[in-house]
Amino acid sequence: MNTVLFAIAAYLIGSISFAVVVSKAFGLSDPRTYGSKNPGATNVLRSGNKKAAALTLLGDGFKGWLAVWLTIRFGPQFGVGDTGVALATIAVFLGHLWPVFFRFVGGKGVATALGILLALNVWLGVATLVTWLVIAYAFRYSSLAALIASVFAPFYYGLLFGSADGILLAVLAMSALLVFRHRKNIANLLAGKESKIGSKKK
């Protein structure tokens, strides 16, 4: 029962869409109405407001970190172990993708996934972030960087912990969902129509 409660709490934390909240606070257009129509930091950046984009990035990353950290830190006191951590990992990520507070219209999960990975293991998060930064710097495509980083994240987990477990399965599921949520970006990349980082909204 406690494991379920931690998972529900993680989902609700994930359901806070910082792209929408921050944009409203800054008097910007709803990020679901322009650009990629994705409520995430990259699309908020297309508004031209770098501060709003940065706050969105930090907020989305923080909620992923917080939900998993709370489960790791306080879960054992309530009999919640690795299975609970794995469920919290998926729950907070699903909350971001399909937030109950915003009619189940959420972002693609890149920043939230990074926050989750940092909570699971700092080096896991750092390795994934470095992968994203290298690809983003080289090609200027946020989506391509996210896709490659998401593929490498389970690999990094395996290197760090050396064995399959429930948390690895959660990371694999999260990576698969990231790729699924970027399916339109994949089509645009193949067609040469994908927007580059920093491009303004049309």
Side-chain angles (χ1 to χ4, degrees), residues 108 179-189 194:
K108 294 175 181 175
V179 173
F180 172 74
R181 292 290 281 187
H182 282 81
R183 60 195 185 280
K184 291 184 179 178
N185 302 91
I186 294 172
N188 287 337
L189 284 166
E194 182 73 349

Side-chain angles (χ1 to χ4, degrees), residues 26-40:
F26 276 78
L28 304 173
S29 299
D30 189 320
R32 295 169 295 182
T33 63
Y34 64 81
S36 65
K37 295 182 171 58
N38 173 60

Side-chain angles (χ1 to χ4, degrees), residues 129-148:
L129 175 59
V130 169
T131 302
W132 188 96
L133 289 171
V134 169
I135 302 301
Y137 179 80
F139 298 99
R140 306 298 297 171
Y141 289 113
S142 175
S143 57
L144 179 62
L147 287 165
I148 293 177

Side-chain angles (χ1 to χ4, degrees), residues 44-153:
V44 173
L45 184 60
R46 293 190 177 102
S47 71
N49 193 313
K50 294 181 180 179
K51 185 179 291 186
L55 287 174
T56 298
L57 181 68
L58 290 173
D60 284 345
F62 175 72
K63 70 183 182 184
W65 177 87
L66 179 64
V68 175
W69 180 83
L70 287 173
T71 306
I72 293 172
R73 175 65 178 81
F74 297 105
Q77 300 175 28
F78 299 93
V80 178
D82 286 351
T83 298
V85 174
L87 288 176
T89 294
I90 291 298
V92 67
F93 193 68
L94 290 175
H96 179 78
L97 301 186
W98 293 287
V100 66
F101 304 132
F102 296 91
R103 299 182 180 181
F104 303 101
V105 179
K108 294 175 181 175
V110 178
T112 301
L114 177 60
I116 290 169
L117 295 175
L118 286 168
L120 290 174
N121 182 276
V122 172
W123 293 113
L124 173 62
V126 169
T128 306
L129 175 59
V130 169
T131 302
W132 188 96
L133 289 171
V134 169
I135 302 301
Y137 179 80
F139 298 99
R140 306 298 297 171
Y141 289 113
S142 175
S143 57
L144 179 62
L147 287 165
I148 293 177
S150 67
V151 169
F152 273 88

